[in-house]
Amino acid sequence: MAIRGGDDRSDWLDFYIPVGALGNAGIAYWDGRPFFRSDVMDDWLAAIGRETFTRAAFSLGVVGFEVSGCADAETLAGQMPQERDVGYLLPLGGALHYGAANT
């Protein structure tokens, strides 16, 4: 789903998978943490973000459960948060870095 930002500076592309579909496919998606977080799913979605970045650079990617609009590149100012309740795909020095959720 594409979301146009209200100020013409922030457009979002949301890629998501309904958790019911994961259950129907026999994929374990809940590991006891809030919001159905799964390191496997986060890493898979981050890989999609990395591949997307090779074709269409972006200023910030956020990975996790219902993360649309939870952060913005301007606020992060190129700094990866040390404590992360979501994963971040952040371009630094011309390369895309992934900081997995760690809290």
Side-chain angles (χ1 to χ4, degrees):
M1 167 174 51
I3 301 169
R4 172 63 45 141
D7 59 6
D8 290 335
R9 295 184 312 150
S10 61
D11 294 335
W12 289 76
L13 178 62
D14 284 6
F15 176 80
Y16 59 90
I17 300 167
V19 292
L22 297 174
N24 288 340
I27 298 171
Y29 58 86
W30 188 62
D31 59 8
R33 292 183 284 182
F35 307 114
F36 306 109
R37 270 205 7 229
S38 162
D39 294 338
V40 172
M41 289 301 302
D42 286 359
D43 290 347
W44 183 70
L45 291 169
I48 291 171
R50 282 191 205 102
E51 182 61 28
T52 300
F53 187 79
T54 67
R55 300 176 196 288
F58 50 81
S59 57
L60 174 64
V62 189
V63 177
F65 186 76
E66 294 188 2
V67 296
S68 184
C70 72
D72 63 84
E74 186 176 357
T75 300
L76 291 175
Q79 299 294 314
M80 182 74 69
Q82 292 297 312
E83 293 185 7
R84 301 176 294 273
D85 58 352
V86 297
Y88 291 88
L89 291 161
L90 189 62
L92 300 168
L96 187 66
H97 296 268
Y98 176 52
N102 61 11
T103 60

